[in-house]
Amino acid sequence: MRGPWEQALQQAIQHPSRSVWLSIASSPHRLAAAYRLLSTTAQQILQALQQHPVQQEDRLISLCCPLDSSEEIDLFAWLCAHPHEMRLFWADRNRDMTYAGLGCALAFSDETPEQPLSQVSSYLQDAPQSLRFFGGQAFDPKHAPTDAWRPMHKAQWRLPALTISQETETCSLTFSFVFSPKTALSPQTQHVPQAHLLQELPPLIPPSFQKIPITRRHDTPSLPHWCEAIEIAKQTFSQQDLEKVVLARETCLQSPSPLPDPFALLRTLYDQAADTYIFGFQGDAHTTFVGASPERLYARDGKVLYSEALAGTRPRKADPAADHQQSEALLSSEKDRYEQLLVIRELEERFDGLCEEIQYPQAPRLRKLKHVQHLWTPIQGKLRQDPQDAAILATLHPTPAVGGRPRPRALALLHELERFSRGWYAAPIGWVGPQGAEFCVGIRSALFSHDRLFLFTGAGIVPDSEPETEWRELEQKLKTFWEFVDCTPDFKPPT
């Protein structure tokens, strides 16, 4: 064995944990130098493991090199420089935690969300705090996916082979691979898996995004069918114990040519959509789900759990006086306050089953975004039991902000009225680690699929909702992505 990691590796391979995390440099490196160091060290460690196999089960090996903070690394240029690799991106609302990943060291997917997360948990036990798995699940795994959604799976979790992490004042490059003692001496394992990612740092050219030409727009449901669905929902309110249902719309935009790189668009969203989670998750070479979500499903720091109630919508205005008028109208709207109150009540009930010391302000605040503003109430509590993120997800998702209340009746009506697959829209998307987790709700989102761009929007329906008003709200929310498309001269309007 050679290198400063020798003693740490000797200790790690004797430890029962399935994850080995090694810091291979004591001082920061520039990105190109970190590539070279990781490449050399990974091969040395593979050889060392082949000579000293200890356990019979697979081990996850992660090598981390700190990066020089004075070198400004354009993460989107880095992602766009690898168009043929599996890619992902995640940034929290405050931009305190940003991750970009290439390739795949480990991936778990299945028809049910619980099984992949339980597989991930086996690698998180006794693992270092820096380890992160990224992924998400379908809004309703029981709903059959369309062809466009199929590459995303109903639930998927992934550890990138190569990750650049930017957290507050630190930056690092991490390379991960799986070592299997059972095949340690076979010809296929003489080289580190996915080591090609470290062969050479390509030129990092900041991506420029050209508007997507579209020839056709198709809404599911159409406006007449939307109005019909809301009238059915309003009849259900009076006949059953139903307080709210959230109905969604799929807008399919057809382009005459294959869509551009989604991570180039994501860079623009990152620059423009402040105070939102920015995410991009690639399912295959032609399928990527991206978004700029304002809504947190939950964040967990140890045993402290955070969530929020986000509901009610008004447009933003360029004129400060007019914008203030919209804010006051939202705060004084009985319909919007009632809609948000339902979300708070549901969250409080679900937190009560998980937590103690529950806290939240009595009056809602405003969350102002680029195109719209919402009523917003944060809530937090302390978990009674040891954290199990699969159980927390099952308890909190879907919230009344994207499903309805009570949950079983709302989802039953939603399935009856919606004629498309939500896929990962309005579903949990985020990361899990040994000491924490964070998930946004996958709204203000789009699915890139070959030459089609699918946009998704939703609106909360309560007894006094007006169909045309709710349709206008959908159009307002659509602006997050509509500004990135350009209608061709032969464009066909919505059908």
Side-chain angles (χ1 to χ4, degrees):
M1 298 185 186
R2 299 173 298 277
W5 39 264
E6 178 180 350
Q7 184 177 359
L9 179 61
Q10 288 178 330
Q11 294 174 350
I13 61 178
Q14 300 292 337
H15 196 275
S17 173
R18 298 187 70 184
S19 301
V20 176
W21 184 280
L22 300 174
S23 180
I24 63 169
S26 58
S27 59
H29 286 54
R30 295 184 69 82
L31 185 58
Y35 262 62
R36 293 190 293 270
L37 180 60
L38 283 170
S39 179
T40 301
T41 307
Q43 191 62 43
Q44 292 174 348
I45 287 179
L46 177 64
Q47 294 170 359
L49 288 168
Q50 289 171 332
Q51 295 169 10
H52 302 275
V54 174
Q55 293 187 337
Q56 293 303 308
E57 63 179 1
D58 293 350
R59 305 293 292 273
L60 172 63
I61 312 297
S62 295
L63 313 178
C64 182
C65 179
L67 294 176
D68 188 344
S69 59
S70 66
E71 180 185 17
E72 294 186 5
I73 302 171
D74 187 328
L75 296 183
F76 298 102
W78 186 66
L79 291 171
C80 290
H82 299 83
H84 303 298
E85 301 293 340
M86 294 294 285
R87 299 171 292 176
L88 63 82
F89 182 88
W90 165 270
D92 69 4
R93 289 186 299 202
N94 299 324
R95 307 298 189 259
D96 291 332
M97 303 174 69
T98 304
Y99 307 97
L102 293 174
C104 183
L106 270 175
F108 303 104
S109 61
D110 204 87
E111 298 301 295
T112 60
E114 293 80 7
Q115 186 172 342
L117 262 183
S118 65
Q119 292 173 306
V120 168
S121 298
S122 69
Y123 283 93
L124 296 178
Q125 294 175 6
D126 300 319
Q129 188 171 347
S130 300
L131 188 63
R132 300 274 189 277
F133 279 79
F134 300 87
Q137 67 179 62
F139 179 84
D140 183 358
K142 298 177 183 177
H143 200 292
T146 59
D147 289 342
W149 279 113
R150 194 162 285 112
M152 299 299 298
H153 300 278
K154 291 185 177 181
Q156 183 174 177
W157 290 94
R158 186 187 305 162
L159 175 69
L162 194 60
T163 307
I164 296 180
S165 307
Q166 296 177 343
E167 301 180 9
T168 315
E169 298 179 355
T170 64
C171 185
S172 62
L173 179 68
T174 303
F175 179 69
S176 300
F177 66 95
V178 173
F179 173 75
S180 177
K182 298 176 183 178
T183 60
L185 299 179
S186 68
Q188 295 94 317
T189 55
Q190 297 306 303
H191 299 284
V192 178
Q194 301 209 49
H196 68 279
L197 292 171
L198 295 171
Q199 287 179 357
E200 185 178 1
L201 177 64
L204 302 186
I205 303 172
S208 60
F209 184 82
Q210 303 297 323
K211 285 193 173 185
I212 302 172
I214 59 170
T215 57
R216 185 171 179 265
R217 168 179 170 173
H218 179 76
D219 291 326
T220 305
S222 62
L223 177 57
H225 288 149
W226 172 262
C227 295
E228 179 183 337
I230 290 185
E231 291 306 321
I232 293 174
K234 293 174 74 170
Q235 293 174 16
T236 307
F237 288 134
S238 60
Q239 297 169 1
Q240 300 182 20
D241 181 23
L242 181 66
E243 298 174 280
K244 174 185 177 180
V245 64
V246 180
L247 296 181
R249 182 186 72 185
E250 174 192 89
T251 298
C252 177
L253 304 179
Q254 180 69 53
S255 178
S257 56
L259 298 178
D261 192 326
F263 290 93
L265 177 146
L266 206 61
R267 193 260 178 83
T268 305
L269 275 180
Y270 181 87
D271 292 338
Q272 294 183 359
D275 299 320
T276 64
Y277 292 95
I278 302 295
F279 61 84
F281 199 91
Q282 192 168 359
D284 65 14
H286 306 288
T287 309
T288 303
F289 186 53
V290 303
S293 173
E295 185 173 356
R296 168 187 283 170
L297 177 62
Y298 80 84
R300 179 177 65 81
D301 183 3
K303 295 185 71 172
V304 181
L305 191 66
Y306 304 88
S307 187
E308 62 192 27
L310 194 74
T313 305
R314 286 292 188 280
R316 297 298 308 276
K317 299 294 183 181
D319 177 64
D323 192 59
H324 178 73
Q325 190 175 38
Q326 290 290 332
S327 300
E328 291 300 312
L330 179 58
L331 288 169
S332 61
S333 167
E334 291 186 9
K335 181 262 183 188
D336 291 295
R337 291 289 290 265
Y338 173 70
E339 181 184 340
Q340 201 235 5
L341 180 61
L342 295 179
V343 181
I344 296 172
R345 287 176 179 171
E346 183 83 9
L347 271 177
E348 185 179 22
E349 291 171 8
R350 298 196 176 278
F351 259 60
D352 191 53
L354 296 168
C355 301
E356 55 192 9
E357 302 177 19
I358 301 170
Q359 304 174 32
Y360 63 91
Q362 294 303 306
R365 308 169 189 173
L366 289 173
R367 178 169 287 281
K368 294 194 173 188
L369 307 170
K370 181 179 180 182
H371 297 294
V372 294
Q373 50 191 314
H374 305 286
L375 295 175
W376 175 71
T377 300
I379 182 172
Q380 73 177 69
K382 184 178 180 181
L383 292 165
R384 296 192 187 92
Q385 308 293 331
D386 289 337
Q388 298 290 333
D389 288 298
I392 298 173
L393 276 178
T395 300
L396 296 183
H397 170 75
T399 71
V402 293
R405 176 182 163 94
R407 183 191 288 181
R409 290 188 182 276
L411 294 182
L413 181 60
L414 184 155
H415 292 155
E416 174 188 338
L417 297 177
E418 291 188 353
R419 294 291 181 260
F420 65 94
S421 171
R422 289 193 178 193
W424 285 31
Y425 164 69
I429 298 165
W431 61 266
V432 292
Q435 300 298 324
E438 186 161 17
F439 291 86
C440 70
V441 180
I443 58 175
R444 313 295 147 79
S445 49
L447 179 69
F448 281 65
S449 178
H450 297 272
D451 57 355
R452 294 179 298 169
L453 181 67
F454 295 89
L455 309 180
F456 302 90
T457 47
I461 309 303
V462 292
D464 58 350
S465 293
E466 295 296 332
E468 291 81 5
T469 301
E470 303 297 344
W471 185 269
R472 287 194 294 271
E473 180 178 318
L474 298 183
E475 291 297 299
Q476 194 69 32
K477 293 174 178 176
L478 198 67
K479 287 183 177 180
T480 299
F481 286 94
W482 192 256
E483 63 185 60
F484 298 118
V485 304
D486 188 19
C487 300
T488 62
D490 57 345
F491 172 75
K492 295 180 180 179
T495 58

